[in-house]
Short mmCIF file of all heavy atoms in Angstrom, two decimals:
data_model
loop_
_atom_site.label_atom_id
_atom_site.label_comp_id
_atom_site.label_asym_id
_atom_site.label_seq_id
_atom_site.Cartn_x
_atom_site.Cartn_y
_atom_site.Cartn_z
N ASP A 1 0.85 -1.19 0.01
CA ASP A 1 0.01 -0.01 -0.01
C ASP A 1 0.91 1.23 0.00
O ASP A 1 1.56 1.53 0.98
CB ASP A 1 -0.87 -0.03 1.26
CG ASP A 1 -1.85 1.14 1.31
OD1 ASP A 1 -2.23 1.65 0.21
OD2 ASP A 1 -2.25 1.53 2.41
N ALA A 2 0.99 1.92 -1.15
CA ALA A 2 1.87 3.09 -1.26
C ALA A 2 1.16 4.17 -2.08
O ALA A 2 0.42 3.90 -2.99
CB ALA A 2 3.17 2.70 -1.96
N PHE A 3 1.39 5.43 -1.66
CA PHE A 3 0.88 6.52 -2.48
C PHE A 3 1.69 7.80 -2.19
O PHE A 3 2.39 7.93 -1.22
CB PHE A 3 -0.62 6.77 -2.21
CG PHE A 3 -0.97 7.27 -0.83
CD1 PHE A 3 -1.10 8.61 -0.59
CD2 PHE A 3 -1.20 6.38 0.19
CE1 PHE A 3 -1.41 9.05 0.67
CE2 PHE A 3 -1.54 6.83 1.46
CZ PHE A 3 -1.66 8.16 1.70
N TRP A 4 1.60 8.72 -3.15
CA TRP A 4 2.32 10.01 -3.08
C TRP A 4 1.37 11.08 -2.61
O TRP A 4 0.20 11.10 -2.94
CB TRP A 4 2.78 10.42 -4.50
CG TRP A 4 3.94 9.61 -5.02
CD1 TRP A 4 3.86 8.58 -5.90
CD2 TRP A 4 5.27 9.72 -4.66
NE1 TRP A 4 5.10 8.07 -6.14
CE2 TRP A 4 6.01 8.77 -5.39
CE3 TRP A 4 5.99 10.55 -3.78
CZ2 TRP A 4 7.37 8.61 -5.29
CZ3 TRP A 4 7.35 10.42 -3.70
CH2 TRP A 4 8.05 9.46 -4.42
N MET A 5 1.93 12.05 -1.83
CA MET A 5 1.20 13.24 -1.43
C MET A 5 2.02 14.46 -1.89
O MET A 5 3.24 14.54 -1.55
CB MET A 5 1.09 13.32 0.11
CG MET A 5 0.27 12.21 0.69
SD MET A 5 0.35 12.27 2.52
CE MET A 5 1.97 11.54 2.79
N GLN A 6 1.39 15.34 -2.66
CA GLN A 6 2.12 16.53 -3.08
C GLN A 6 2.15 17.50 -1.90
O GLN A 6 1.18 17.70 -1.18
CB GLN A 6 1.45 17.19 -4.28
CG GLN A 6 2.27 18.34 -4.82
CD GLN A 6 1.79 18.84 -6.18
OE1 GLN A 6 0.80 18.41 -6.68
NE2 GLN A 6 2.54 19.74 -6.73
N LEU A 7 3.31 18.14 -1.72
CA LEU A 7 3.50 19.07 -0.63
C LEU A 7 3.35 20.49 -1.17
O LEU A 7 4.22 21.01 -1.82
CB LEU A 7 4.89 18.87 0.00
CG LEU A 7 5.17 17.43 0.45
CD1 LEU A 7 6.58 17.32 0.92
CD2 LEU A 7 4.22 17.00 1.54
N GLY A 8 2.20 21.08 -0.92
CA GLY A 8 1.92 22.40 -1.40
C GLY A 8 1.80 22.41 -2.91
O GLY A 8 1.45 21.42 -3.52
N GLY A 9 2.11 23.52 -3.52
CA GLY A 9 2.01 23.64 -4.97
C GLY A 9 3.33 23.43 -5.66
O GLY A 9 3.46 23.65 -6.85
N ASN A 10 4.32 22.95 -4.91
CA ASN A 10 5.64 22.77 -5.46
C ASN A 10 5.83 21.35 -6.01
O ASN A 10 5.03 20.46 -5.76
CB ASN A 10 6.70 23.01 -4.36
CG ASN A 10 6.59 24.40 -3.82
OD1 ASN A 10 6.57 25.37 -4.54
ND2 ASN A 10 6.51 24.51 -2.51
N LEU A 11 6.90 21.15 -6.72
CA LEU A 11 7.24 19.80 -7.19
C LEU A 11 7.98 19.05 -6.08
O LEU A 11 9.15 18.74 -6.21
CB LEU A 11 8.04 19.86 -8.48
CG LEU A 11 7.27 20.37 -9.67
CD1 LEU A 11 8.20 20.57 -10.90
CD2 LEU A 11 6.19 19.42 -10.06
N ALA A 12 7.26 18.83 -4.98
CA ALA A 12 7.79 18.12 -3.86
C ALA A 12 6.74 17.18 -3.38
O ALA A 12 5.54 17.55 -3.24
CB ALA A 12 8.20 19.07 -2.75
N PHE A 13 7.11 15.89 -3.14
CA PHE A 13 6.15 14.86 -2.83
C PHE A 13 6.66 13.99 -1.71
O PHE A 13 7.85 13.69 -1.65
CB PHE A 13 5.93 13.98 -4.06
CG PHE A 13 5.53 14.71 -5.28
CD1 PHE A 13 6.48 15.28 -6.14
CD2 PHE A 13 4.18 14.91 -5.64
CE1 PHE A 13 6.12 15.98 -7.27
CE2 PHE A 13 3.81 15.59 -6.75
CZ PHE A 13 4.79 16.14 -7.58
N ALA A 14 5.77 13.55 -0.84
CA ALA A 14 6.09 12.60 0.19
C ALA A 14 5.55 11.24 -0.22
O ALA A 14 4.41 11.14 -0.67
CB ALA A 14 5.48 13.01 1.53
N LEU A 15 6.36 10.16 -0.07
CA LEU A 15 5.93 8.86 -0.40
C LEU A 15 5.54 8.12 0.90
O LEU A 15 6.38 8.01 1.81
CB LEU A 15 7.02 8.05 -1.08
CG LEU A 15 6.69 6.59 -1.45
CD1 LEU A 15 5.47 6.51 -2.40
CD2 LEU A 15 7.92 5.92 -2.06
N GLU A 16 4.29 7.68 0.95
CA GLU A 16 3.82 6.91 2.10
C GLU A 16 3.71 5.46 1.70
O GLU A 16 3.08 5.10 0.69
CB GLU A 16 2.42 7.41 2.55
CG GLU A 16 1.92 6.72 3.78
CD GLU A 16 0.58 7.27 4.25
OE1 GLU A 16 0.47 8.51 4.40
OE2 GLU A 16 -0.33 6.46 4.45
N VAL A 17 4.32 4.60 2.49
CA VAL A 17 4.28 3.17 2.26
C VAL A 17 3.81 2.48 3.53
O VAL A 17 4.44 2.68 4.59
CB VAL A 17 5.64 2.61 1.84
CG1 VAL A 17 5.59 1.10 1.62
CG2 VAL A 17 6.14 3.31 0.54
N GLY A 18 2.77 1.73 3.46
CA GLY A 18 2.27 0.98 4.64
C GLY A 18 1.90 1.90 5.80
O GLY A 18 2.10 1.57 6.95
N GLY A 19 1.41 3.10 5.48
CA GLY A 19 0.97 4.04 6.54
C GLY A 19 2.07 4.89 7.12
O GLY A 19 1.82 5.70 8.02
N LYS A 20 3.29 4.82 6.60
CA LYS A 20 4.39 5.66 7.08
C LYS A 20 5.06 6.40 5.94
O LYS A 20 5.28 5.83 4.86
CB LYS A 20 5.46 4.80 7.79
CG LYS A 20 4.96 4.12 9.04
CD LYS A 20 6.07 3.34 9.61
CE LYS A 20 5.55 2.64 10.89
NZ LYS A 20 6.56 1.79 11.52
N ILE A 21 5.41 7.64 6.15
CA ILE A 21 6.17 8.40 5.17
C ILE A 21 7.58 7.88 5.20
O ILE A 21 8.25 7.83 6.23
CB ILE A 21 6.11 9.92 5.44
CG1 ILE A 21 4.68 10.43 5.20
CG2 ILE A 21 7.07 10.64 4.53
CD1 ILE A 21 4.47 11.88 5.51
N VAL A 22 8.07 7.44 4.02
CA VAL A 22 9.39 6.86 3.94
C VAL A 22 10.42 7.77 3.31
O VAL A 22 11.63 7.54 3.39
CB VAL A 22 9.40 5.50 3.23
CG1 VAL A 22 8.54 4.47 3.98
CG2 VAL A 22 8.91 5.62 1.80
N GLY A 23 9.96 8.84 2.65
CA GLY A 23 10.89 9.76 2.03
C GLY A 23 10.23 10.86 1.23
O GLY A 23 8.99 10.86 1.10
N LEU A 24 11.03 11.72 0.71
CA LEU A 24 10.57 12.85 -0.09
C LEU A 24 11.23 12.86 -1.44
O LEU A 24 12.45 12.58 -1.54
CB LEU A 24 10.87 14.19 0.61
CG LEU A 24 10.33 14.36 1.99
CD1 LEU A 24 10.88 15.61 2.67
CD2 LEU A 24 8.82 14.35 2.00
N LEU A 25 10.48 13.22 -2.45
CA LEU A 25 11.00 13.40 -3.81
C LEU A 25 10.76 14.86 -4.20
O LEU A 25 9.66 15.35 -3.97
CB LEU A 25 10.28 12.47 -4.80
CG LEU A 25 10.68 12.60 -6.26
CD1 LEU A 25 12.09 12.06 -6.49
CD2 LEU A 25 9.73 11.88 -7.17
N TYR A 26 11.76 15.51 -4.73
CA TYR A 26 11.58 16.89 -5.17
C TYR A 26 12.35 17.16 -6.44
O TYR A 26 13.34 16.47 -6.73
CB TYR A 26 11.98 17.86 -4.06
CG TYR A 26 13.45 17.79 -3.65
CD1 TYR A 26 14.40 18.59 -4.25
CD2 TYR A 26 13.89 16.89 -2.68
CE1 TYR A 26 15.73 18.54 -3.87
CE2 TYR A 26 15.19 16.82 -2.29
CZ TYR A 26 16.12 17.65 -2.92
OH TYR A 26 17.45 17.58 -2.53
N TRP A 27 11.87 18.15 -7.18
CA TRP A 27 12.55 18.59 -8.38
C TRP A 27 13.38 19.81 -8.05
O TRP A 27 12.89 20.77 -7.44
CB TRP A 27 11.53 18.97 -9.49
CG TRP A 27 12.18 19.64 -10.65
CD1 TRP A 27 12.15 20.98 -10.94
CD2 TRP A 27 12.95 19.04 -11.68
NE1 TRP A 27 12.89 21.21 -12.07
CE2 TRP A 27 13.40 20.06 -12.54
CE3 TRP A 27 13.34 17.72 -11.91
CZ2 TRP A 27 14.15 19.77 -13.65
CZ3 TRP A 27 14.11 17.44 -13.02
CH2 TRP A 27 14.51 18.48 -13.88
N LEU A 28 14.65 19.79 -8.40
CA LEU A 28 15.57 20.89 -8.18
C LEU A 28 15.89 21.51 -9.53
O LEU A 28 16.45 20.85 -10.41
CB LEU A 28 16.83 20.47 -7.47
CG LEU A 28 17.88 21.54 -7.34
CD1 LEU A 28 17.45 22.65 -6.37
CD2 LEU A 28 19.22 20.95 -6.90
N ASP A 29 15.53 22.77 -9.71
CA ASP A 29 15.87 23.48 -10.95
C ASP A 29 17.12 24.31 -10.61
O ASP A 29 17.04 25.38 -9.98
CB ASP A 29 14.71 24.40 -11.38
CG ASP A 29 14.98 25.08 -12.69
OD1 ASP A 29 16.11 24.93 -13.27
OD2 ASP A 29 14.13 25.80 -13.16
N ALA A 30 18.27 23.84 -11.06
CA ALA A 30 19.56 24.46 -10.69
C ALA A 30 19.99 25.50 -11.73
O ALA A 30 21.06 26.05 -11.60
CB ALA A 30 20.62 23.39 -10.54
N GLU A 31 19.15 25.80 -12.70
CA GLU A 31 19.53 26.72 -13.78
C GLU A 31 19.89 28.10 -13.20
O GLU A 31 20.75 28.77 -13.73
CB GLU A 31 18.45 26.83 -14.80
CG GLU A 31 18.19 25.54 -15.54
CD GLU A 31 19.43 24.97 -16.24
OE1 GLU A 31 20.17 25.74 -16.89
OE2 GLU A 31 19.69 23.79 -16.08
N GLY A 32 19.18 28.60 -12.20
CA GLY A 32 19.42 29.94 -11.69
C GLY A 32 20.51 30.01 -10.66
O GLY A 32 20.82 31.12 -10.18
N LEU A 33 21.12 28.92 -10.30
CA LEU A 33 22.18 28.95 -9.28
C LEU A 33 23.44 29.56 -9.85
O LEU A 33 23.80 29.37 -11.00
CB LEU A 33 22.45 27.53 -8.74
CG LEU A 33 21.25 26.85 -8.10
CD1 LEU A 33 21.65 25.45 -7.68
CD2 LEU A 33 20.75 27.64 -6.91
N GLU A 34 24.14 30.30 -9.05
CA GLU A 34 25.33 30.99 -9.51
C GLU A 34 26.53 30.04 -9.46
O GLU A 34 27.27 29.98 -8.48
CB GLU A 34 25.56 32.24 -8.63
CG GLU A 34 24.44 33.26 -8.79
CD GLU A 34 24.66 34.51 -7.96
OE1 GLU A 34 25.81 34.74 -7.50
OE2 GLU A 34 23.67 35.19 -7.73
N ARG A 35 26.75 29.34 -10.53
CA ARG A 35 27.79 28.33 -10.57
C ARG A 35 29.20 28.93 -10.51
O ARG A 35 30.08 28.32 -9.89
CB ARG A 35 27.65 27.48 -11.86
CG ARG A 35 26.35 26.70 -11.80
CD ARG A 35 26.34 25.54 -12.81
NE ARG A 35 25.09 24.80 -12.65
CZ ARG A 35 24.89 23.85 -11.76
NH1 ARG A 35 25.83 23.56 -10.92
NH2 ARG A 35 23.74 23.23 -11.70
N GLU A 36 29.45 30.03 -11.16
CA GLU A 36 30.78 30.62 -11.12
C GLU A 36 31.17 31.04 -9.72
O GLU A 36 32.29 30.79 -9.28
CB GLU A 36 30.87 31.79 -12.13
CG GLU A 36 30.76 31.36 -13.55
CD GLU A 36 30.78 32.56 -14.51
OE1 GLU A 36 31.21 33.64 -14.12
OE2 GLU A 36 30.33 32.36 -15.66
N ALA A 37 30.25 31.67 -9.03
CA ALA A 37 30.56 32.09 -7.66
C ALA A 37 30.78 30.89 -6.76
O ALA A 37 31.67 30.88 -5.89
CB ALA A 37 29.42 32.98 -7.09
N ALA A 38 29.97 29.86 -6.92
CA ALA A 38 30.11 28.65 -6.12
C ALA A 38 31.43 27.98 -6.40
O ALA A 38 32.11 27.49 -5.47
CB ALA A 38 28.95 27.72 -6.37
N ALA A 39 31.83 27.90 -7.66
CA ALA A 39 33.09 27.30 -8.04
C ALA A 39 34.26 28.04 -7.43
O ALA A 39 35.24 27.43 -6.96
CB ALA A 39 33.22 27.18 -9.55
N ALA A 40 34.20 29.38 -7.42
CA ALA A 40 35.25 30.17 -6.82
C ALA A 40 35.39 29.91 -5.35
O ALA A 40 36.47 29.99 -4.75
CB ALA A 40 34.98 31.65 -7.07
#
């Protein structure tokens, strides 16, 4: 018995298996991250 619950309006989901949340899945859009500054 498993199902997903969306967390708010974001691309973040909790997976419930056997009545317990076992983890979270989320989409990370890294396009806007400042890679040059981070590399420095």
Side-chain angles (χ1 to χ4, degrees):
D1 183 27
F3 67 93
W4 288 102
M5 296 174 282
Q6 187 168 6
L7 306 175
N10 301 308
L11 290 173
F13 305 86
L15 179 60
E16 183 177 310
V17 178
K20 295 181 182 179
I21 293 176
V22 297
L24 303 172
L25 177 70
Y26 61 93
W27 171 257
L28 174 68
D29 184 358
E31 296 304 314
L33 300 177
E34 297 181 18
R35 295 197 178 277
E36 292 177 20

